[in-house]
Amino acid sequence: MNIKVDEYISKAEKWQQEQEKLRMIVLECGLTEEFKWGQPCYSFQGTNIVIISGFKEYCLLGLFNGALLSDEKCLLVKPGENTQAGRQIRFTSLKEIVKLETTIKAYIFEAIELEKAGLKVQLKKTSDYPIPEEFQNKLISDPDLKDAFEALTPGRQKAYLLFFAAAKQSQTRVTRIESSMKRIFSGKGPEDCICGHSHRMPRCDGTHKTLG
């Protein structure tokens, strides 16, 4: 048991009992307890299997390769529209967790067996995502921007393409592209901060002034 997880749960404003119960269930499955990204994370032979998190409306058990699970009880939730591998089981009470304990363990054991078998979710490549016309035109007219974009990690490239494409109007896409150029040249993703700190959008401009 990791002392950082003890501290995390003891200081949690909500879902203390629920997260502690989930912790005990996961540990009984033989996983190694670590503390990553500010949350309890559990691995098998160095590979992340599940993570425990608490939010305002629910707490959850996140399965890193949950998309591969059979999900016989239809418990798994896709966190976001563009999420490929990860899935969540969400809870709103300790009673609910206790009731599903056997099923939760079955899901975890299945995830471990999938890891042992070396099965992975086949993730989409950057080339599988369409490039918005406005951004394609910008890359053609600005070779330096094209070079900077291609130098980004695949994850950051995909994040930009999704960020630009999410805008319904052409002018909004153009505005997003223009406001992202400094970040692209700095080798940062759309949710990275050019000042070196970790941010979620809205982002800062390097002086911690919020960007829309």
Side-chain angles (χ1 to χ4, degrees):
M1 297 176 71
N2 192 303
I3 189 171
K4 291 184 178 180
V5 176
D6 292 331
E7 296 173 355
Y8 165 83
I9 294 178
S10 67
K11 294 179 180 179
E13 295 182 0
K14 199 173 183 181
W15 311 115
Q16 282 191 1
Q17 289 183 314
E18 288 80 2
Q19 291 186 86
E20 184 62 39
K21 180 59 178 178
L22 287 174
R23 179 192 195 187
M24 293 300 103
I25 291 174
V26 174
L27 288 175
E28 288 172 4
C29 294
L31 296 179
T32 300
E33 184 173 73
E34 302 177 80
F35 193 69
K36 298 180 179 180
W37 309 291
Q39 298 165 314
C41 185
Y42 301 83
S43 63
F44 173 77
Q45 295 182 353
T47 300
N48 297 326
I49 302 295
V50 298
I51 194 166
I52 294 173
S53 302
F55 293 89
K56 182 178 180 180
E57 301 297 333
Y58 55 83
C59 65
L60 65 84
L61 184 73
L63 296 111
F64 285 89
N65 280 307
L68 295 175
L69 298 181
S70 56
D71 192 20
E72 294 181 359
K73 301 296 183 180
C74 299
L75 297 176
L76 299 181
V77 177
K78 190 175 181 179
E81 180 182 352
N82 298 302
T83 302
Q84 298 183 62
R87 295 292 185 270
Q88 300 173 351
I89 306 177
R90 297 175 179 177
F91 307 96
T92 56
S93 71
L94 177 61
K95 182 179 180 180
E96 184 180 10
I97 296 172
V98 172
K99 181 179 179 180
L100 290 171
E101 181 170 351
T102 300
T103 300
I104 295 169
K105 287 183 177 179
Y107 275 50
I108 295 173
F109 284 129
E110 183 182 357
I112 293 172
E113 290 305 313
L114 290 170
E115 178 57 33
K116 288 180 179 179
L119 299 179
K120 302 291 182 183
V121 176
Q122 296 300 312
L123 302 177
K124 289 183 179 180
K125 299 178 181 179
T126 304
S127 58
D128 294 329
Y129 292 85
I131 301 178
E133 181 181 356
E134 296 83 357
F135 189 48
Q136 182 67 67
N137 293 337
K138 193 69 175 178
L139 295 177
I140 293 173
S141 64
D142 190 339
D144 290 337
L145 178 63
K146 183 175 184 293
D147 290 342
F149 181 74
E150 292 179 348
L152 295 173
T153 62
R156 288 189 171 99
Q157 291 179 16
K158 287 184 282 188
Y160 275 118
L161 295 180
L162 291 171
F163 176 50
F164 299 151
K168 296 181 179 179
Q169 298 184 1
S170 177
Q171 185 54 52
T172 305
R173 290 193 288 274
V174 171
T175 299
R176 290 188 175 189
I177 292 166
E178 294 291 343
S179 66
S180 297
M181 288 178 62
K182 186 175 182 180
R183 225 168 258 99
I184 293 174
F185 280 117
S186 298
K188 303 293 185 180
E191 294 186 351
D192 295 332
C193 176
I194 59 176
C195 68
H197 293 81
S198 175
H199 291 273
R200 290 288 180 181
M201 288 191 291
R203 308 168 302 280
C204 86
D205 64 355
T207 61
H208 297 283
K209 178 181 178 182
T210 299
L211 294 172

